[in-house]
Amino acid sequence: MEYVSPEGLRLDGRRPMEMRQLRAQIGAVAKADGSAVFEMGNTKVIAAVYGPREVQNRSQQIGDQALVRCEYSMANFSTGDRKRKPKGDRRSTEISLVIRQTMEACILTHLMPRSQIDIYVQVLQADGGTRSACINAATLALADAGIPMHDLVTSCSAGYLNSTPLLDLNYVEDSAGGPDITVGILPKLDKVTLLQMDAKLPVDIFENVMQLAIEGCKAIATYIGEVLLENTKQLEYRKGL
Amino acid sequence: MLHSKTFSKKTRGGKVQKLVREVYLRDDIYCGASFCKVCDTSAARFTASASTILVLDTNVVLNQIDLLENPAIEDVVVLSVVLQEVKNKNTAVYNRIRALCSNPARKFFVFSNEFHRDTYVQNMTGESPNDRNDRAIRVATRWYQSHLGDAVKVLLITNDRENKKKATEEGVSAETIESYVKSLGQPALLDLLAQPASEDIIMEEVEDLRPSKRKVVYPEHKPMSEITAGLTSGIYHQGKLRVNRYNPFEAYVGSESIGDEIVVYGRGNMNRAFDGDIVAVEILPQDQWREDESLSIADEDDDNEEVHLVPSSADDAPRTTNSVSGSASDTNPISGRPCGRVIGIIKRNWHSYCGSLEPMPMPAGSGGLVYALFVSKDRRIPKIRIQTRQLENLLDKRIIVAVDSWDRQSRYPSGHYVRSIGEIGDRDTETEVVLIENDIDARPFSAQVLACLPPLPWSVSEQDLVNPIRTDLRHLRVFSVDPPGCKDIDDALHCMMLPNGNFEVGVHIADVTNFVHPGTPLDDEATQRGTSVYLVERRIDMLPKPLTEDICSLRADVERLAFSVIWEMTPEAEIISTRYIKSVIKSCAALSYVEAQARMDDSRLMDPVTKDLRNMNTLAKTMRQRRIERGALTLASAEVKFQIDTETHDPLDIGMYQIREANQMVEEFMLAANVSVAEQILKHFPGCSLLRRHPTPTKDMLEPLLRTAASVGLNLDISSSKALADSLDHAVSDDPYFNKLIRIMATRCMTQAVYFCSGDLSPPEFHHYGLAAPLYTHFTSPIRRYADVIVHRLLAASLEIYKLPTIFRDRPQQTSIADNLNYRHRNAQMASRGSVELHTLIYFRKRPIDTEARIVKIRSNGFIVFVPKYGIEGPVYLTPRGEKGGGEWFVDEQQQKIKKMDGSLSYGILQAVKIHLEVVEPQPNRPKLQLTLL
């Protein structure tokens, strides 16, 4: 299958190093402390953050830092076929864990001992790269909730098909069976907090692809920064300052 | 700009699914004209002075690809929507149009109209995908016209009437391909036009003139829906149709659903299917099985046997099941094989064919349009009807013809002329035909490939010597033994007595992978070529000449890089240890087989090299003996060798290839090296090693051998290769040539050995039957075989000298490489045979000869003889042609004898007969060898 035409265009008209269109909206769930909707092309994710609040289950309380919990789910209508997926299947559990660990790494948990932060992410529409979109949405929601963080974590995926590194794979490219790397970084600190790949790839190519994914993360970080700035300006305006 | 594309798709399960895809529309897609002022012209293709730019419709690309490949057509826009449609309909054409687009010499430009902001077309409600695509083509054409302005004319080429009409209405200039080609004023181009099925006006005229011709010849093909339904319910069977190479009226369809081959007799039952087509077959009722055969042969107008080279394996040999054709006494066999008829063609395998026109009288007014029948060199292909305006030019030429269609009313498929190769009978032309038929790329290497070569003159550098991966073996007494005049020496040997009485024996193979790196154009080219091809008068190299004849060739008295396998062996030739090292060697002598043999035989010579040779020969004999005891087969082949006139390249003499002890000695060590390397790479890479296996022949395949042997009172045991080898050894009679004959016949019952990827099969299947080795691979000829290059890389990786190239991680790709190697290997062999056949013909053209021959097969009207001296095989007729199964002779099946009715004369199998050999020309320009009984 030809995923990149000799003219250098992908199946959806992007070039290999181009990302899908990004859209973000802060404050989608009024009841939550922080929330956001994040879109990468046709992938659409909603995230809501509650906390820091009192730990619900006392036995889980940690004396010197906050407890971060994360729940990932996919809406039943998120994919084309209406398959009823049981809650807590392996894939969801794994992605919940991945998101939790990534977010935990950037939240300043020691500032909020004996408290709990809940992150809920739900995929509204899936078209590849849900993991990355979830992390980006969660970052926005955490920022919206005003939770102290080292940096904004951003994530992006990249793959390697037809001997070409491709940025931000969509569903068709994702299901091609090629290597697919999801990277999460702290852009200002230039640190990697998440790196996933479940395929074989020679080291030199892997480095190229990962570099591409990092570039993608940085672009998303810039975009998220703009969105937050815009949001803050609006808050300022509403407060009448 | 972002767009969403929504469409519905039926899933495999039968559910209808709605899919949504994004489409990013861009403004950075350029028009490809170098004179355009708006666009970026760095990727521009069109000539600066282009006056007309052509936009092609899908049907034009699909049907007229031969015309498009002609350099007269240029400045063409290929729209991405067209490419997509072509790809879905015909991958072969897609690959060809892609090749055109990527060729910088041709002015073909791909315009991605589907992603351009101004040419993207949204599907309208109620519009079929076809109409939508046609509209997209028109929109793109109009965009081109407005974009480029009045300076150039943008012309839409379409053969779709509806599309053309709409285009004209919308103000887009459109023409059919015929009228465009006519306007170019090159009549030769018109021949290249494919004749679209009967819509063509000219065809309609013909229909009126000769109504009798238009009656239905073939039954209709069933509609696709019915075929699919029939396949799932098990009424029909799907498979690839393979036409018998020796009888084009018989074909086989290997069907998985019944696990057997279905035989299809006669053109009527084949129902317009070509060799290689994927067809749907219906099994005939049992009482009709095998009945059609006599009919089909009566139908045939030319002889079905020709003199040809002796087949070297079962793959080249004619199918034997029906070779004892239709004699009355034939009661039992074959009726177990189901017969069927083709009811539909699922996928066509049409490509272009090489051959010549059937001789025909010149029509009165020359230069006019005439129909001619094309006869392919490949006998499996039916005659093809073509239209031509240049009959007088083509009659005595070898030409290439492509098939366009085959409708029910015509006896023969219709096609069109593609190009001519040269005069029939001319040696260069015929050699090229051989190459084309076997899909061999004989073009010179491209500049990119040559750029990968190290600079000349090359010599072993200081760097190579100090490189820790390389061992300096220049002090060893290494020498090579090859055929005389060999320039691409890829193996050398050494043998040294150790203080403990054992021998150190080394096989040194040219280190090709030091120069051919994975992923380079040089490597890609070699992967494609797969093997060097040896023709009688020339060699087509897999790697460029500087590598094969100089840098890699292990010539005498120069330092060369090598990959060495070094054993310590006991005097009984038991291997104690094996080392694999990259080395630097300096060969002290490049001997020929003859020289080596002479040195060994001359007892007065006592120089070190001769002593080494004798030691090695002793070891080799022991190894050979042990191999034979293990059950390796000693097979014989009837290889011939030509002596070629150095100036005219005409064959001067012809004779059997002689095998000496020296040959066997070298062969033995090469086999041992291959086996050792196979063990090493399989140990390290059990999933991705490239090995070579030789499947055990089935009982059916050995059947003809057994039948022949039984008729001369010989009982062969075929239960294992060991048993067969033993009984072949015991097959002796007072006739000195008898044993060799039986061996030759055994050889042709075997299939060929094949390359495979070790991950694709289970270890018991790795077995090499002919060599009786559990593991085997090819390591010793990397200059001329690509498989060896791969094995070199694997071996280097197993020693951790290099990293394993990425390709080995990709199983499907590796399998496809192995398949390609098998295909190329086989084609190279076929080409060599073709070349030998051609030269045999040239040789005998001037020298008719009387010689001795052996009967190998009895037919109803004669027998097939084998001429040992020249390695050829052909029919001898006892009755004149036309009287098939003549009255005065009858065939004794049991004893394989043909007898005269009055009992005065009889011929039995393997009997020696005197025959006369000469070249005849039954039709002008069609010389062939004829054998007649003296």
Side-chain angles (χ1 to χ4, degrees):
Chain A
M1 177 85 183
E2 192 177 71
Y3 291 96
V4 187
S5 72
E7 288 71 50
L9 292 173
R10 287 154 73 172
L11 295 173
D12 56 2
R14 284 184 289 160
R15 294 197 190 275
M17 310 258 186
E18 288 176 348
M19 226 170 351
R20 289 178 284 176
Q21 196 168 60
L22 299 176
R23 256 165 286 169
Q25 186 201 333
I26 292 175
V29 184
K31 213 180 158 197
D33 293 314
S35 63
V37 174
F38 195 83
E39 287 178 59
M40 298 170 88
N42 275 341
T43 299
K44 190 172 192 174
V45 173
I46 187 165
V49 170
Y50 292 86
R53 58 184 176 185
E54 206 167 325
V55 180
Q56 284 163 342
N57 187 349
R58 277 297 160 108
S59 61
Q60 288 178 340
Q61 183 174 306
I62 309 166
D64 56 347
Q65 59 180 41
L67 168 71
V68 178
R69 296 206 312 177
C70 178
E71 192 180 300
Y72 162 95
S73 63
M74 278 179 95
N76 284 334
F77 52 81
S78 63
T79 52
D81 44 349
R82 299 169 194 209
K83 209 181 286 170
R84 239 202 136 68
K85 288 200 184 95
K87 216 175 172 189
D89 62 319
R90 289 173 75 107
R91 186 171 173 274
S92 307
T93 321
E94 185 240 321
I95 297 183
S96 301
L97 182 73
V98 165
I99 298 172
R100 201 199 84 208
Q101 286 174 339
T102 315
M103 301 327 291
E104 217 172 11
C106 79
I107 297 173
L108 300 170
T109 46
H110 62 277
L111 295 181
M112 302 159 276
R114 295 183 301 283
S115 61
Q116 166 177 342
I117 299 166
D118 287 305
I119 305 169
Y120 297 98
V121 278
Q122 184 161 40
V123 178
L124 301 178
Q125 188 170 293
D127 186 25
T130 51
R131 232 169 269 239
S132 300
C134 286
I135 290 172
N136 295 333
T139 308
L140 268 177
L142 284 170
D144 184 35
I147 289 170
M149 292 189 281
H150 289 291
D151 195 358
L152 294 165
V153 207
T154 55
S155 166
C156 189
S157 69
Y160 187 72
L161 291 170
N162 295 150
S163 314
T164 324
L166 301 179
L167 185 62
D168 191 13
L169 305 183
N170 67 19
Y171 179 72
V172 185
E173 292 164 336
D174 209 2
S175 40
D180 164 21
I181 303 178
T182 304
V183 179
I185 62 161
L186 299 174
K188 285 199 185 122
L189 306 174
D190 215 7
K191 278 187 175 158
V192 174
T193 56
L194 164 70
L195 179 59
Q196 273 195 316
M197 178 176 77
D198 34 18
K200 284 182 185 170
L201 203 59
V203 176
D204 43 341
I205 297 172
F206 169 77
E207 274 164 8
N208 283 339
V209 179
M210 178 163 160
Q211 200 50 49
L212 184 64
I214 289 177
E215 293 300 320
C217 292
K218 286 183 178 161
I220 291 174
T222 319
Y223 177 75
I224 287 184
E226 280 168 16
V227 171
L228 284 173
L229 193 66
E230 181 65 22
N231 185 52
T232 317
K233 276 184 186 155
Q234 286 207 352
L235 287 176
E236 224 174 21
Y237 173 74
R238 260 185 250 156
K239 280 190 178 170
L241 285 169
Chain B
M1 198 157 67
L2 180 67
H3 250 289
S4 262
K5 189 159 66 170
T6 312
F7 55 96
S8 301
K9 199 179 135 187
K10 208 170 180 183
T11 60
R12 203 176 289 173
K15 271 194 298 183
V16 175
Q17 206 177 31
K18 184 182 164 196
L19 295 172
V20 179
R21 298 267 176 271
E22 287 179 290
V23 182
Y24 287 84
L25 300 183
R26 326 185 56 101
D27 51 9
D28 62 347
I29 292 173
Y30 304 119
C31 68
S34 52
F35 45 82
C36 179
K37 292 182 183 63
V38 199
C39 295
D40 178 31
T41 51
S42 56
R45 270 291 166 78
F46 302 137
T47 40
S49 57
S51 62
T52 317
I53 283 177
L54 307 178
V55 181
L56 301 179
D57 193 0
T58 315
N59 51 33
V60 174
V61 177
L62 276 174
N63 297 325
Q64 311 288 357
I65 186 75
D66 289 317
L67 176 75
L68 299 178
E69 280 175 347
N70 189 294
I73 306 286
E74 54 177 16
D75 296 326
V76 176
V77 176
V78 184
L79 301 174
S80 59
V81 58
V82 172
L83 280 175
Q84 201 55 46
E85 277 192 288
V86 170
K87 190 179 181 183
N88 291 340
K89 288 201 174 120
N90 188 333
T91 18
V93 173
Y94 175 75
N95 290 336
R96 286 167 75 184
I97 187 88
R98 266 293 178 200
L100 277 180
C101 295
S102 59
N103 182 353
R106 303 297 308 273
K107 312 291 178 209
F108 278 60
F109 181 77
V110 179
F111 180 68
S112 306
N113 67 320
E114 293 285 55
F115 299 122
H116 191 285
R117 187 211 291 259
D118 299 328
T119 55
Y120 178 73
V121 171
Q122 194 100 39
N123 209 352
M124 292 200 291
T125 39
E127 193 179 34
S128 78
N130 249 331
D131 290 344
R132 185 247 162 218
N133 290 345
D134 284 349
R135 191 157 59 88
I137 295 169
R138 293 196 300 273
V139 167
T141 318
R142 210 164 51 212
W143 178 84
Y144 255 95
Q145 186 66 72
S146 63
H147 179 76
L148 295 174
D150 296 330
V152 283
K153 187 179 168 202
V154 179
L155 192 60
L156 173 67
I157 304 286
T158 177
N159 275 19
D160 182 333
R161 258 175 231 163
E162 195 61 19
N163 198 9
K164 187 172 170 239
K165 202 180 95 200
K166 278 190 183 150
T168 327
E169 276 168 15
E170 289 169 17
V172 174
S173 40
E175 270 196 68
T176 61
I177 186 84
E178 285 85 5
S179 55
Y180 175 71
V181 172
K182 273 182 196 136
S183 73
L184 287 178
Q186 292 186 33
L189 283 183
L190 283 168
D191 275 5
L192 291 172
L193 276 177
Q195 302 304 320
S198 51
E199 292 163 40
D200 202 298
I201 317 140
I202 312 162
M203 285 289 284
E204 281 160 25
E205 281 167 12
V206 174
E207 201 170 355
D208 291 341
L209 284 172
R210 296 185 288 177
S212 60
K213 271 278 187 187
R214 307 301 292 172
K215 67 171 187 276
V216 175
V217 184
Y218 296 102
E220 200 159 8
H221 287 154
K222 295 258 188 320
M224 205 54 214
S225 53
E226 204 174 310
I227 292 176
T228 346
L231 285 174
T232 40
S233 63
I235 314 169
Y236 303 143
H237 305 277
Q238 179 181 345
K240 194 184 232 181
L241 185 92
R242 284 171 303 121
V243 178
N244 188 337
R245 215 173 256 275
Y246 296 84
N247 177 7
F249 296 89
E250 186 184 88
Y252 313 90
V253 177
S255 160
E256 278 176 18
S257 47
I258 60 165
D260 194 9
E261 280 184 335
I262 302 167
V263 191
V264 183
Y265 289 116
R267 285 267 154 79
N269 281 341
M270 273 190 233
N271 196 0
R272 295 171 279 161
F274 267 56
D275 180 68
D277 288 354
I278 308 283
V279 294
V281 188
E282 176 188 53
I283 294 198
L284 292 172
Q286 198 142 8
D287 54 317
Q288 286 177 38
W289 286 10
R290 202 183 145 70
E291 168 210 55
D292 283 43
E293 192 198 13
S294 51
L295 257 173
S296 72
I297 287 179
D299 192 16
E300 194 176 3
D301 44 2
D302 45 34
D303 49 329
N304 67 346
E305 278 289 350
E306 263 176 49
V307 180
H308 53 81
L309 275 183
V310 176
S312 58
S313 75
D315 307 333
D316 321 332
R319 289 312 192 96
T320 40
T321 26
N322 77 320
S323 58
V324 196
S325 65
S327 56
S329 61
D330 208 354
T331 45
N332 63 344
I334 313 98
S335 46
R337 285 157 70 96
C339 296
R341 65 185 183 93
V342 173
I343 50 107
I345 290 163
I346 295 165
K347 195 162 193 295
R348 278 288 188 194
N349 181 38
W350 279 345
H351 47 97
S352 44
Y353 303 97
C354 210
S356 53
L357 292 182
E358 200 168 65
M360 58 184 282
M362 282 301 289
S366 73
L369 191 64
V370 284
Y371 283 97
L373 273 181
F374 163 87
V375 187
S376 169
K377 262 213 94 186
D378 186 343
R379 297 159 44 81
R380 294 173 294 182
I381 307 302
K383 290 176 185 169
I384 300 166
R385 209 162 55 118
I386 65 164
Q387 269 187 336
T388 178
R389 291 165 186 79
Q390 40 176 344
L391 185 65
E392 65 274 33
N393 286 335
L394 299 184
L395 263 184
D396 53 353
K397 294 265 169 58
R398 285 281 178 210
I399 59 172
I400 294 181
V401 159
V403 192
D404 302 327
S405 62
W406 195 347
D407 47 323
R408 296 174 59 203
Q409 286 90 7
S410 61
R411 202 174 153 77
Y412 300 117
S414 54
H416 64 272
Y417 159 83
V418 178
R419 69 185 175 96
S420 61
I421 303 165
E423 302 248 331
I424 293 178
D426 180 58
R427 197 189 48 244
D428 293 338
T429 309
E430 297 294 337
T431 304
E432 202 179 329
V433 170
V434 167
L435 292 178
I436 292 173
E437 272 191 317
N438 291 300
D439 191 14
I440 289 167
D441 182 1
R443 281 175 301 184
F445 288 96
S446 68
Q448 292 108 300
V449 171
L450 293 175
C452 301
L453 300 179
L456 288 170
W458 181 91
S459 61
V460 174
S461 67
E462 203 50 43
Q463 264 171 324
D464 290 320
L465 288 172
V466 297
N467 194 338
I469 61 165
R470 251 177 229 290
T471 316
D472 191 348
L473 297 180
R474 284 176 296 171
H475 56 280
L476 290 177
R477 196 164 50 238
V478 173
F479 55 87
S480 62
V481 186
D482 284 285
C486 179
K487 286 189 184 131
D488 48 346
I489 305 175
D490 41 22
D491 49 76
L493 301 157
H494 89 269
C495 176
M496 194 168 66
M497 177 97 85
L498 295 173
N500 61 1
N502 287 345
F503 290 97
E504 181 188 276
V505 181
V507 170
H508 310 273
I509 306 298
D511 193 6
V512 172
T513 48
N514 193 54
F515 306 99
V516 181
H517 298 289
T520 55
L522 176 63
D523 188 53
D524 294 343
E525 182 75 26
T527 321
Q528 264 316 305
R529 297 198 178 205
T531 171
S532 292
V533 182
Y534 291 80
L535 302 184
V536 171
E537 82 286 15
R538 65 190 268 221
R539 183 183 79 210
I540 295 145
D541 286 322
M542 177 183 85
L543 296 167
K545 212 173 198 131
L547 272 184
T548 53
E549 292 190 358
D550 183 20
I551 300 174
C552 289
S553 182
L554 305 176
R555 291 177 302 152
D557 301 321
V558 283
E559 291 173 3
R560 286 288 175 254
L561 302 180
F563 208 155
S564 308
V565 178
I566 298 174
W567 302 285
E568 185 180 340
M569 281 187 186
T570 61
E572 290 75 43
E574 297 285 354
I575 294 172
I576 297 174
S577 68
T578 314
R579 280 192 296 152
Y580 310 90
I581 45 172
K582 290 236 174 184
S583 58
V584 183
I585 58 161
K586 189 172 177 184
S587 168
C588 66
L591 306 173
S592 71
Y593 289 125
V594 189
E595 280 170 331
Q597 190 64 46
R599 275 176 183 239
M600 284 192 280
D601 294 344
D602 189 346
S603 53
R604 287 166 304 172
L605 282 177
M606 287 308 273
D607 59 294
V609 170
T610 312
K611 272 197 222 158
D612 287 352
L613 274 172
R614 288 198 191 118
N615 283 339
M616 292 182 90
N617 198 24
T618 326
L619 288 173
K621 275 185 185 159
T622 327
M623 287 156 75
R624 188 176 169 78
Q625 191 52 44
R626 196 167 322 127
R627 197 160 58 84
I628 288 170
E629 276 164 21
R630 241 186 6 239
L633 295 174
T634 322
L635 300 172
S637 68
E639 244 182 279
V640 289
K641 194 152 177 56
F642 284 91
Q643 277 186 358
I644 299 282
D645 187 317
T646 43
E647 279 183 12
T648 61
H649 292 289
D650 279 336
L652 290 176
D653 196 12
I654 177 173
M656 295 296 276
Y657 189 78
Q658 204 184 349
I659 293 180
R660 295 182 179 80
E661 224 172 38
N663 297 40
Q664 292 182 339
M665 176 191 91
V666 175
E667 188 194 348
E668 208 55 52
F669 285 107
M670 295 305 139
L671 289 179
N674 288 336
V675 170
S676 292
V677 169
E679 284 163 3
Q680 166 80 4
I681 59 173
L682 190 70
K683 192 169 83 197
H684 283 81
F685 307 109
C688 61
S689 292
L690 185 79
L691 302 177
R692 192 165 168 83
R693 71 191 187 101
H694 185 204
T696 309
T698 58
K699 208 156 183 155
D700 291 350
M701 289 156 69
L702 291 169
E703 185 60 37
L705 173 69
L706 289 179
R707 217 181 320 155
T708 311
S711 65
V712 292
L714 189 67
N715 203 1
L716 291 179
D717 183 0
I718 55 161
S719 54
S720 71
S721 62
K722 168 82 179 138
L724 180 60
D726 286 346
S727 45
L728 281 177
D729 285 340
H730 296 132
V732 282
S733 76
D734 40 353
D735 180 355
Y737 201 72
F738 178 77
N739 189 271
K740 179 137 195 225
L741 258 178
I742 291 282
R743 283 186 200 274
I744 289 177
M745 297 186 82
T747 314
R748 69 166 66 165
C749 292
M750 310 278 169
T751 48
Q752 276 176 340
V754 287
Y755 297 108
F756 68 100
C757 167
S758 61
D760 291 346
L761 293 170
S762 63
E765 292 170 292
F766 296 177
H767 191 76
H768 196 293
Y769 179 81
L771 297 171
L775 284 182
Y776 192 66
T777 191
H778 270 163
F779 168 74
T780 52
S781 300
I783 297 182
R784 57 185 178 89
R785 288 190 304 231
Y786 190 74
D788 303 52
V789 175
I790 296 179
V791 171
H792 273 233
R793 288 188 186 139
L794 283 164
L795 183 63
S798 80
L799 303 171
E800 291 170 0
I801 296 175
Y802 294 133
K803 275 190 299 182
L804 197 62
T806 48
I807 191 142
F808 292 101
R809 305 234 174 80
D810 189 349
R811 174 86 66 79
Q813 198 171 355
Q814 228 196 328
T815 310
S816 79
I817 288 180
D819 289 345
N820 181 51
L821 287 178
N822 288 326
Y823 171 72
R824 297 288 167 193
H825 203 75
R826 195 172 145 63
N827 281 358
Q829 277 182 335
M830 295 300 283
S832 303
R833 283 167 51 84
S835 176
V836 171
E837 262 169 43
L838 172 65
H839 282 80
T840 315
L841 195 68
I842 296 174
Y843 178 76
F844 285 114
R845 196 185 284 166
K846 293 179 198 129
R847 309 174 179 79
I849 208 165
D850 292 344
T851 184
E852 185 177 286
R854 301 304 186 111
I855 298 173
V856 289
K857 214 175 281 168
I858 303 284
R859 305 282 302 247
S860 56
N861 55 348
F863 40 75
I864 311 281
V865 296
F866 162 60
V867 187
K869 195 170 170 201
Y870 306 115
I872 52 176
E873 194 184 71
V876 170
Y877 294 94
L878 288 172
T879 48
R881 294 271 167 84
E883 298 172 35
K884 299 243 170 190
E888 46 178 332
W889 295 87
F890 76 95
V891 176
D892 186 336
E893 262 303 304
Q894 222 65 47
Q895 291 188 310
Q896 291 277 313
K897 271 187 182 347
I898 184 161
K899 288 182 183 156
K900 210 162 189 173
M901 276 306 183
D902 54 16
S904 60
L905 261 173
S906 96
Y907 294 102
I909 210 147
L910 298 186
Q911 187 180 337
V913 285
K914 274 268 186 210
I915 56 148
H916 178 69
L917 226 170
E918 68 176 335
V919 174
V920 291
E921 285 195 49
Q923 291 166 323
N925 294 325
R926 308 284 189 289
K928 58 176 206 170
L929 268 179
Q930 184 175 289
L931 312 177
T932 42
L933 194 63
L934 283 178

